Amino acid sequence: MNFGSDNMAGVSPRIMAALAEANAGPAPAYGNDDLTRRAESMLQEFFEHEVAVAFVSTGTAANALALSCLVEPFGAVVCHAEAHIMVDECGAPEFYSGGAKLVGSAGYGAKLTPEIIVDVLERVGPLKPHHVRPQAVSVTQASEIGTVYSQSEIAAISVLAHARGLKVHMDGARFANALTHLDCAPADITWRAGVDVLCFGATKAGAMAAEAVIAFDPTLREALAYRRKRSGHLLSKHRFIAAQWISFLEKDHWRELAGHANAMAQRLAAGIAASGRGRVAFAVEANEVFAVIARADDERLRAAGAIHHPWSTHGIGLDPLPGDDEVFVRLVTSFATTERDVDRFLAVLGGKSA
Amino acid sequence: MNFGSDNMAGVSPRIMAALAEANAGPAPAYGNDDLTRRAESMLQEFFEHEVAVAFVSTGTAANALALSCLVEPFGAVVCHAEAHIMVDECGAPEFYSGGAKLVGSAGYGAKLTPEIIVDVLERVGPLKPHHVRPQAVSVTQASEIGTVYSQSEIAAISVLAHARGLKVHMDGARFANALTHLDCAPADITWRAGVDVLCFGATKAGAMAAEAVIAFDPTLREALAYRRKRSGHLLSKHRFIAAQWISFLEKDHWRELAGHANAMAQRLAAGIAASGRGRVAFAVEANEVFAVIARADDERLRAAGAIHHPWSTHGIGLDPLPGDDEVFVRLVTSFATTERDVDRFLAVLGGKSA
Amino acid sequence: MNFGSDNMAGVSPRIMAALAEANAGPAPAYGNDDLTRRAESMLQEFFEHEVAVAFVSTGTAANALALSCLVEPFGAVVCHAEAHIMVDECGAPEFYSGGAKLVGSAGYGAKLTPEIIVDVLERVGPLKPHHVRPQAVSVTQASEIGTVYSQSEIAAISVLAHARGLKVHMDGARFANALTHLDCAPADITWRAGVDVLCFGATKAGAMAAEAVIAFDPTLREALAYRRKRSGHLLSKHRFIAAQWISFLEKDHWRELAGHANAMAQRLAAGIAASGRGRVAFAVEANEVFAVIARADDERLRAAGAIHHPWSTHGIGLDPLPGDDEVFVRLVTSFATTERDVDRFLAVLGGKSA
Amino acid sequence: MNFGSDNMAGVSPRIMAALAEANAGPAPAYGNDDLTRRAESMLQEFFEHEVAVAFVSTGTAANALALSCLVEPFGAVVCHAEAHIMVDECGAPEFYSGGAKLVGSAGYGAKLTPEIIVDVLERVGPLKPHHVRPQAVSVTQASEIGTVYSQSEIAAISVLAHARGLKVHMDGARFANALTHLDCAPADITWRAGVDVLCFGATKAGAMAAEAVIAFDPTLREALAYRRKRSGHLLSKHRFIAAQWISFLEKDHWRELAGHANAMAQRLAAGIAASGRGRVAFAVEANEVFAVIARADDERLRAAGAIHHPWSTHGIGLDPLPGDDEVFVRLVTSFATTERDVDRFLAVLGGKSA
């Protein structure tokens, strides 16, 4: 009953096997090997666009690197108040960009809208040079509340951003889950919808440590390369991160992994809704379920061995707010979540023994 | 005949197997798992001292993180002119420390001495606040030229450094090789010799991507943790880097791997010396051989498939310098180098066919 | 009728004369001169406490320097959402601190309270090391809305801050105005009330370009000196900034200057209140008047030559908000504002000709 | 007999008077005033070229700002080993640029040559992305050793730099002295000779605190403005720094001030050479004399009240080096140096009483 995070799962067996297979003899270091070339080529095909790619070990590094290529030190990033880049990266974007500012706004379901962005731009930026200069908008897909932007929602944000001279960054730690949910072409919800740089996550989906900064403007290639090395994120035995990406993308393994996680989230959400012992608070469009349950039920679940985190209601438009005898919780599924895990949780929630 | 770098080798089979074993079910993320606790405990035992440890994926990140904990933005690091931190990290130490300065000096065999350090401190630091403030000395063990500091050499540097208010950082990307060569206790050439922070490398020795920042002053623990997260180097599925460290340390696997690489370097060096077709230019005390060979021989070797890099003679006291018809080359062995690789190289060098 | 800013005034004649007097022959540079020693000594006396002082040319530099001495790169500063450091310094605190984060909250009259701070600390900081680490609280005295913290208000904030491990920074660009209003000892509203570092402004009050970072913990002296030089804020002909401070402090010239500005603000506010043609929206406790007036009246005033800025209502608890036919304006008085300036403004406002 | 530094002199009477004159009533702040517009216009005329200008209080700030506009965080600046930016700015260029690296080389008379630069570029930059990326060359005019680059010397450096993708920065703290010495058009030794950004100093020449970053590429205007504000160097009562520049440029006041300082240096140098009691070690082409004198003479001079600094012989090609009974000293003249000051010094040196 581990719904703490998709980070707690191990590695997909297929990806682990690919790592072992990649261990066959010597290979050039620092990304000058065949597996790296192949992985980059597969991404180019995946997105149907020329891309500048930097593979790194963590999503925090990917986001910070990406933003540092889009935003100058005197710049600012418009994001949601609860965005991972704002709250949970210990200021990595500020570090990598030389102190650029993140300006966060509240928004329903942890999603930005053109209206929210316009409101920020009215207050931040006009008084030059006293104000920092907004240079990027950052959206998280799927959002920190497990909601997914539609293609038109992304496009609307991008059109506004570009009209105002801002680039568009997408934190895709759970991009695979969003893509699977939308079942469209990757290009449709990235560059075709105006996204300038995507941070595509494979780790939460089932890799060991594999994220990719994908810039759709190839002129960013050099800056990305220098900044990655300078931040200590250029792996020497680079073939191994490439091997993870190849097996993640090959034969739609990503869709299989994310699809399973999404399905488990649907099962969990449906069960909670049906139980009458809690309410699913936001649309479940990826692999996270945010629910309001009774404090007493939460305690019973934990006593029975469930692992999940209480979550902040700040800035996401949860309405109504939990009562004093309720808690707002996050439940995350992964490729490793079994139907049995879900059913056990629901059984305990529903008052039955494990 | 791949002597390009120890980065080109794959992963030791035992360490690869440990990765697969670590993939058994869920585990807490971000280092809160049992394997991490065990790896840290093993390091505490290995060094016979309480330590604050941060596992990261690359040596560049380790060095930069370590130095950022020792040096303020207005500080300076005294190092060799050809130190990896000075030349090959694209300014990572400057980045992580907020712009501290690296002051490099020439020195025989890429080693610092107390005299070199005193000379720097006479010129850099006295005029406050116009001069940056020297706050650390950095030594590479084994050095970039494959030489090894003895315990007393390290101690002499540390005594001087501490007397002048500087901390001592050790870049140990090839620490395992140096330790094996010296065959002493790890504590003897680290904290007992005055080292404040060691960056211990396992990657070049045979891991996939595993380095450790090891601070012998536990009060650095918190700053290390924040700075690691902030730099995007806190792995979420942290158990896997811990698994690499456990299998690296367990049953002296590190000594086996480094010892083999060292032995292959000795074999190579002896063969070059005996061939009369080149001179070994510096003591071979780890897994690197620096030699001066005829340009014609270098070309023959490459034509026969040898991979190795020409090297800069700058600042290392090579005497005599190579003639116009000679080249200075670096040959690196690894755990994966076979006697056959070495013998083939020597055969081609010696004029025989492969 | 220039109420645009106290920055628009020139220099007090007495301070200008002091500059000319200081121009008598050679003097040591970089602060090693007698005038500097005297100015520092006068500040020590003024605050009845040993102080580490750094004179700099702008308030932005003073704030950024001060905060960089209190907050590490992975740290955070709790401040008001409309604080000058947050909105109008183009990210200078982030720059100087190496990317620390500013966390702003709304608060009535641009003032922080212990409750606001507690609320922030509940959301920011607990999840180590993912959250930045709150290390300072910043209050502006007098606030950006012209309100003044009482001694007990400051003390309450400091007690809370220190209990939670945060230092207290005070942006005193208009400290002279606040001090004059409160008519207490400078020590009473700084270190006795728990303030760790004060940025004391003389420029807005009537100097040419003279601000002082005043740390009540003398151990900050060295870091302050290095960081000031490193930021290019150590003036070479330092005697001239010292001369401004001496004549500002000597014989209560500061009180004369600030007192006059405050009095003009009182006159203006009383007049607006009495005119029935606008409402004074916040307590006038320094040299700024924030009022809501009719758009039509605002236009007439500007047509008659009045200079003042419309102001943002964001985050300051203005209630009721201005109607569609009203504007929220800021009127700032200075040492150079005459009664005639004020009366002309009131006359035009009141419907009479200039 | 104060030859310690041109920083020790006060302010030229004409410039001090201009400050008083500028104090007539209110003016817009932050550079939006008429004096600022006039000063910028005068610089445009002075250099016969459109310029983006930022006035700041110190040379350190000017250099750091300029370099931060030319060099990315992963970049490097090629300069002399004894350049002010390398040695005496406490790492300000590293701070402002986000940690770019300064690579210093020895060179006769503290001057760079194309050969020196080529040698650096051979070692630094080729191995992407491991090496930082050289993006600027910095020359000091007049140099730290009081020598002056001719127009063709600057042009040769610029041609090489531009061919290799580097911009050219000129630290002109003593530019007025160099320009007076060369007696050519300002354009001839700046943009016509390939200089991209000049930091023009008025402070050492006789202003109170007035330096200008002058970019000959107007597209740098916006970045310069934001970075200046962000560094706390945008003065609020900006008219006063503009007033200093106007009176410095007006009616060749700069030439009068610098010319007098240069003439006093010539007088001093000639006297030392003629005295037989010391040797002038480098060409005297600005307002600095570097001489080798007997230790005993140095002591007598100091006992008689002379103020001057011993100087480092590091990296400037002084040949022969001072003997054990000699010292290498720097003597700096200013607009305030009198013939009497010079003659007294020479008298004491020559063995006569003061």
Side-chain angles (χ1 to χ4, degrees), chain B residues 122-302:
Chain B
E122 256 154 36
R123 291 183 298 104
V124 182
L127 192 62
K128 304 183 183 188
H130 304 272
H131 288 181
V132 288
R133 186 179 159 191
Q135 293 183 310
V137 171
S138 177
V139 293
T140 309
Q141 175 78 314
S143 83
E144 289 78 6
I145 293 299
T147 53
V148 164
Y149 290 85
S150 70
Q151 182 178 358
S152 58
E153 282 175 335
I154 299 166
I157 286 170
S158 300
V159 165
L160 169 71
H162 292 156
R164 303 295 190 100
L166 280 65
K167 298 289 188 182
V168 179
H169 162 260
M170 178 175 276
D171 174 352
R174 296 187 175 97
F175 183 78
N177 302 85
L179 186 57
T180 301
H181 171 80
L182 292 169
D183 194 29
C184 61
D188 290 343
I189 53 168
T190 55
W191 63 271
R192 281 193 193 124
V195 172
D196 294 289
V197 182
L198 164 72
C199 292
F200 188 176
T203 311
K204 286 175 154 67
M208 183 180 289
E211 309 282 311
V213 179
I214 298 169
F216 298 103
D217 171 6
T219 67
L220 290 182
R221 189 186 312 276
E222 195 174 71
L224 205 45
Y226 275 117
R227 289 178 180 270
R228 175 174 62 160
K229 173 62 195 182
R230 181 182 180 72
S231 64
H233 280 288
L234 174 58
L235 295 166
S236 56
K237 296 185 182 180
H238 198 270
R239 64 169 114 169
F240 294 108
I241 196 173
Q244 295 180 60
W245 271 101
I246 291 169
S247 70
F248 182 65
L249 295 171
E250 215 159 35
K251 296 185 209 157
D252 275 6
H253 187 45
W254 62 275
R255 189 191 295 273
E256 179 182 346
L257 295 170
H260 177 82
N262 285 4
M264 291 304 98
Q266 290 296 324
R267 189 181 185 91
L268 189 55
I272 290 171
S275 73
R277 301 287 290 243
R279 72 181 146 101
V280 175
F282 292 92
V284 179
E285 299 176 330
N287 62 316
E288 296 178 283
V289 178
F290 285 84
V292 178
I293 61 178
R295 225 175 258 291
D297 288 338
D298 184 58
E299 281 156 26
R300 279 191 309 103
L301 283 156
R302 292 177 186 286

Side-chain angles (χ1 to χ4, degrees), chain A residues 240-291:
Chain A
F240 293 109
I241 196 173
Q244 294 180 61
W245 271 100
I246 291 168
S247 70
F248 182 64
L249 294 171
E250 217 160 32
K251 295 184 207 157
D252 275 6
H253 187 46
W254 63 274
R255 189 191 295 273
E256 179 183 346
L257 296 170
H260 177 82
N262 285 4
M264 291 302 99
Q266 289 298 321
R267 189 182 184 92
L268 187 58
I272 291 171
S275 73
R277 303 285 292 243
R279 70 181 148 101
V280 175
F282 292 91
V284 178
E285 299 176 331
N287 63 316
E288 297 177 284
V289 178
F290 286 83

Side-chain angles (χ1 to χ4, degrees), chain C residues 187-241:
Chain C
D188 290 343
I189 53 167
T190 56
W191 62 270
R192 282 194 193 122
V195 172
D196 294 290
V197 182
L198 163 71
C199 292
F200 188 176
T203 311
K204 285 176 155 67
M208 183 179 289
E211 309 281 311
V213 179
I214 298 168
F216 297 103
D217 171 7
T219 68
L220 291 182
R221 189 186 311 275
E222 194 173 73
L224 205 44
Y226 276 116
R227 287 179 182 270
R228 175 173 61 159
K229 174 62 195 182
R230 180 183 181 74
S231 63
H233 281 287
L234 173 59
L235 294 166
S236 56
K237 297 184 181 179
H238 199 269
R239 64 169 112 167
F240 293 108
I241 197 174

Side-chain angles (χ1 to χ4, degrees), chain A residues 6 59 63 80 82-85 88-89 108-112 138-151 153-154 157 169-184 189-190 195 198-202 204-205 211 248 254 258-259 261-262 265-266 282-290 311 316 330-333:
Chain A
D6 29 9
N63 286 331
H80 189 274
E82 296 300 304
H84 195 263
I85 58 171
D88 281 325
E89 297 189 354
Y108 180 78
K111 288 170 72 174
L112 290 179
S138 177
V139 292
T140 310
Q141 175 78 313
S143 84
E144 288 77 7
I145 293 299
T147 53
V148 164
Y149 290 84
S150 70
Q151 182 178 359
E153 282 175 335
I154 300 166
I157 286 171
H169 163 258
M170 178 175 277
D171 174 352
R174 297 188 174 97
F175 183 77
N177 302 84
L179 186 57
T180 302
H181 170 80
L182 291 170
D183 194 29
C184 60
I189 53 169
T190 56
V195 171
L198 163 71
C199 292
F200 189 175
K204 286 175 156 65
E211 307 282 312
F248 182 64
W254 63 274
N262 285 4
Q266 289 298 321
F282 292 91
V284 178
E285 299 176 331
N287 63 316
E288 297 177 284
V289 178
F290 286 83
W311 214 252
I316 54 175
R330 180 187 80 157
L331 305 159
V332 190
T333 58

Side-chain angles (χ1 to χ4, degrees), chain A:
Chain A
M1 293 201 285
N2 194 328
F3 299 104
S5 174
D6 29 9
N7 277 331
M8 291 181 171
V11 175
S12 129
R14 201 194 296 187
I15 295 177
M16 187 62 87
L19 279 169
E21 275 169 52
N23 196 24
Y30 297 116
N32 296 312
D33 63 283
D34 290 340
L35 289 181
T36 299
R37 273 183 283 273
R38 183 158 167 233
E40 290 181 358
S41 172
M42 290 175 74
L43 280 168
Q44 198 135 284
E45 221 179 288
F46 189 81
F47 287 101
E48 303 171 69
H49 198 280
E50 193 186 353
V51 290
V53 179
F55 294 120
V56 296
S57 304
T58 71
T60 292
N63 286 331
L65 258 176
L67 289 170
S68 75
C69 289
L70 297 178
V71 175
E72 290 167 290
F74 49 83
V77 180
V78 180
C79 64
H80 189 274
E82 296 300 304
H84 195 263
I85 58 171
M86 178 61 119
V87 175
D88 281 325
E89 297 189 354
C90 201
E94 288 90 335
F95 173 37
Y96 277 61
S97 62
K101 203 191 262 295
L102 267 55
V103 183
S105 296
Y108 180 78
K111 288 170 72 174
L112 290 179
T113 65
E115 293 70 30
I116 291 171
I117 298 166
V118 165
D119 179 69
V120 170
L121 298 181
E122 255 154 38
R123 291 184 298 105
V124 181
L127 192 61
K128 307 183 181 187
H130 304 272
H131 288 182
V132 288
R133 185 179 159 192
Q135 294 183 309
V137 170
S138 177
V139 292
T140 310
Q141 175 78 313
S143 84
E144 288 77 7
I145 293 299
T147 53
V148 164
Y149 290 84
S150 70
Q151 182 178 359
S152 58
E153 282 175 335
I154 300 166
I157 286 171
S158 300
V159 164
L160 168 70
H162 292 155
R164 303 294 190 100
L166 279 65
K167 298 288 189 182
V168 178
H169 163 258
M170 178 175 277
D171 174 352
R174 297 188 174 97
F175 183 77
N177 302 84
L179 186 57
T180 302
H181 170 80
L182 291 170
D183 194 29
C184 60
D188 290 344
I189 53 169
T190 56
W191 62 272
R192 280 192 195 126
V195 171
D196 293 290
V197 181
L198 163 71
C199 292
F200 189 175
T203 311
K204 286 175 156 65
M208 185 179 290
E211 307 282 312
V213 179
I214 299 168
F216 298 102
D217 171 6
T219 67
L220 291 183
R221 190 186 311 277
E222 195 173 72
L224 204 45
Y226 275 116
R227 289 179 181 271
R228 175 174 62 158
K229 173 62 196 182
R230 181 183 182 72
S231 64
H233 281 288
L234 174 58
L235 294 166
S236 57
K237 296 185 183 180
H238 199 269
R239 65 169 111 166
F240 293 109
I241 196 173
Q244 294 180 61
W245 271 100
I246 291 168
S247 70
F248 182 64
L249 294 171
E250 217 160 32
K251 295 184 207 157
D252 275 6
H253 187 46
W254 63 274
R255 189 191 295 273
E256 179 183 346
L257 296 170
H260 177 82
N262 285 4
M264 291 302 99
Q266 289 298 321
R267 189 182 184 92
L268 187 58
I272 291 171
S275 73
R277 303 285 292 243
R279 70 181 148 101
V280 175
F282 292 91
V284 178
E285 299 176 331
N287 63 316
E288 297 177 284
V289 178
F290 286 83
V292 177
I293 61 177
R295 225 175 257 292
D297 288 338
D298 185 57
E299 281 156 26
R300 279 192 306 104
L301 282 156
R302 292 177 186 287
I307 297 174
H308 53 273
H309 297 307
W311 214 252
S312 168
T313 59
H314 182 260
I316 54 175
L318 173 59
D319 183 40
L321 286 170
D324 289 334
D325 60 340
E326 293 182 305
V327 292
F328 180 56
V329 297
R330 180 187 80 157
L331 305 159
V332 190
T333 58
S334 78
F335 77 92
T337 306
T338 63
E339 289 182 357
R340 212 177 82 138
D341 291 323
V342 174
D343 295 345
R344 276 197 63 197
F345 183 95
L346 294 171
V348 175
L349 174 64
K352 308 183 191 52
S353 59

